[in-house]
Amino acid sequence: MESGPAIFAGMVFCLFGAGLLVWTATRARQRRPVAQGVSPIASATAAGLAAMISLALGAWCFTRL
């Protein structure tokens, strides 16, 4: 009964993190801005960091099963 919310939260974090990481890498590879009005390096770094944190939180949720 308690593993249901952990599975749901883990999947949400992992899907969001993976999607953000793929989107950021695609935008950076095409040399397009990740965020408007911000330095390309800073925005790609911040988005990549947020994606990695989200993936780590998803992995942590799956260890709680």
Side-chain angles (χ1 to χ4, degrees), residues 11-33:
M11 285 303 296
V12 167
F13 279 126
C14 285
L15 287 174
F16 174 75
L20 182 60
L21 194 61
V22 167
W23 181 80
T24 302
T26 302
R27 297 289 285 190
R29 187 177 311 140
Q30 295 173 352
R31 302 216 184 262
R32 300 189 70 194

Side-chain angles (χ1 to χ4, degrees), residues 19-57:
L20 182 60
L21 194 61
V22 167
W23 181 80
T24 302
T26 302
R27 297 289 285 190
R29 187 177 311 140
Q30 295 173 352
R31 302 216 184 262
R32 300 189 70 194
V34 176
Q36 291 288 55
V38 183
S39 166
I41 295 172
S43 62
T45 302
L49 184 63
M52 295 306 288
I53 289 171
S54 182
L55 286 171
L57 282 172

